[in-house]
Amino acid sequence: MARTTPLRWRDIADDLRRRIESGDLAPADGASDRRPLPPEKDLERHYRASRNTVRDALAWLRQQGYVVSEQGKGTFVVPQPDIVHVTLRAVELGLAPGAVSEEWYNRDAAVPATWNASVSQVKVEVQEGTKVIARYLQMKTGSEFISRHQEIFLDDKPWVLQTSFYPLEFATDGASRLLLPRDIPEGAVAYLGKTLGYREVGFHDEIKARVPDENEKRFFSLGDSAASIVFETVRTAYSADGKAFRVTVTVWPADRTRLHYNDGDVPAAVLKTPGLASTEAGPDESPPDDDAGSG
């Protein structure tokens, strides 16, 4: 393990990250089951690097959410959540929105069957939509919408926040169950097809990464590091006449979610177990900007 030449801070950070992810860096310290990093002096000797270079590497790991430092106690590995691989474009599996399955994740996304999905009670509101929602639903700004919000869990752990929006007129035109704070077992898309004649012929997804708001931080137990971001997907469903009739905004924690799409002739094993053969590459960031030196 001896080093013959000093390493740059990023080389040290990448090696520590690899060792953290592989689980071979340090055992749990017993009482708290936390995994401590070796003391800075030990890292300096191991990597034959200066104090400032090691501190730059540790600062980058803190910024990325891999470690946390406590004054007088040391630096500890932040537990990494299990990764959930989600297929958003699941047409090949017969799992597109509006599919006949009664399972939530088979209506809007597909997850491996080893996960047990559950949802909170639906929270229903009638509200004046934002300019963005009005634009997605091809309606005038200030129009009123029905919003149906749920918290979704995998194996009883917080996983997704989801809100679907519908024009308020749908309820007065016959789809009154949209106003009830209960799940729609056959799926909202299928229900709208039965009651109002809407048939989904396609959907459009828009995805962005952003900083979480305070409610999202609480629900997902996110911190303030650079790794604590969320994905937001906006799915707009269209009928045969080109009319947008449903907009679903879904928020996913980026630290434990991988979003997948399929197109063309994809092997069945990849469709059923997305991410099985994927590799994770570390982010390419600039050196940390704090009071530590740059060795």
Side-chain angles (χ1 to χ4, degrees):
M1 295 177 66
R3 304 288 182 179
T4 57
T5 57
L7 295 175
R8 296 182 302 111
W9 71 267
R10 181 56 193 267
D11 294 322
I12 296 174
D14 283 342
D15 188 57
L16 288 172
R17 176 179 57 81
R18 177 189 59 77
R19 294 169 66 191
I20 288 172
E21 292 176 342
S22 67
D24 69 353
L25 187 61
D29 64 4
S32 64
D33 287 331
R34 296 196 302 174
R35 293 169 54 203
L37 291 188
E40 288 184 12
K41 287 292 185 183
D42 291 352
L43 293 176
E44 292 169 24
R45 287 193 294 268
H46 174 66
Y47 290 108
R48 296 196 175 187
S50 70
R51 178 185 183 186
N52 285 340
T53 300
V54 168
R55 288 192 168 184
D56 278 350
L58 295 178
W60 183 86
L61 290 171
R62 285 194 297 271
Q63 291 172 2
Q64 300 303 314
Y66 286 101
V67 301
V68 60
S69 296
E70 297 180 11
Q71 188 172 5
K73 295 182 179 181
T75 301
F76 299 87
V77 175
V78 174
Q80 299 299 310
D82 293 334
I83 300 300
V84 181
H85 293 273
V86 183
T87 302
L88 290 181
R89 187 179 182 190
V91 178
E92 291 85 350
L93 298 179
L95 302 177
V100 296
S101 171
E102 294 184 1
E103 308 241 9
W104 174 87
Y105 52 86
N106 280 1
R107 285 188 240 134
D108 290 287
V111 297
T114 53
W115 295 93
N116 179 36
S118 59
V119 298
S120 67
Q121 181 176 348
V122 182
K123 179 181 179 180
V124 179
E125 293 181 313
V126 175
Q127 60 190 74
E128 183 178 300
T130 64
K131 291 182 179 179
V132 174
I133 296 300
R135 174 170 58 84
Y136 284 128
L137 283 173
Q138 304 166 354
M139 300 182 70
K140 294 180 180 180
T141 300
S143 298
E144 293 182 316
F145 300 95
I146 301 168
S147 69
R148 295 174 57 84
H149 175 77
Q150 284 184 294
E151 299 175 344
I152 296 101
F153 303 82
L154 284 186
D155 291 346
D156 297 323
K157 297 179 181 178
W159 178 52
V160 162
L161 292 170
Q162 185 176 79
T163 306
S164 292
F165 297 87
Y166 308 87
L168 179 58
E169 64 191 52
F170 281 9
T172 57
D173 288 346
S176 59
R177 286 167 60 193
L178 291 176
L179 290 172
L180 299 179
R182 294 193 290 272
D183 194 21
I184 300 175
E186 69 271 32
V189 172
Y191 172 63
L192 291 175
K194 293 177 182 178
T195 56
L196 303 180
Y198 281 99
R199 183 177 66 88
E200 183 183 78
V201 297
F203 61 84
H204 172 78
D205 279 353
E206 178 179 317
I207 304 174
K208 69 177 180 180
R210 61 171 174 79
V211 175
D213 62 28
E214 291 304 315
N215 178 60
E216 292 160 351
K217 285 183 179 180
R218 176 197 58 77
F219 183 71
F220 297 123
S221 298
L222 295 174
D224 296 312
S225 74
S228 296
I229 62 173
V230 294
F231 296 130
E232 180 183 276
T233 65
V234 181
R235 173 165 291 185
T236 307
Y238 294 94
S239 59
D241 60 0
K243 175 66 177 177
F245 66 92
R246 179 197 192 205
V247 168
T248 299
V249 179
T250 309
V251 179
W252 326 71
D255 64 345
R256 69 207 72 169
T257 307
R258 301 294 181 268
L259 303 178
H260 296 259
Y261 281 83
N262 300 305
D263 193 12
D265 189 11
V266 179
V270 176
L271 296 177
K272 294 182 180 300
T273 55
L276 187 62
S278 66
T279 58
E280 300 295 337
D284 187 10
E285 300 291 339
S286 300
D289 184 13
D290 60 9
D291 57 358
S294 55

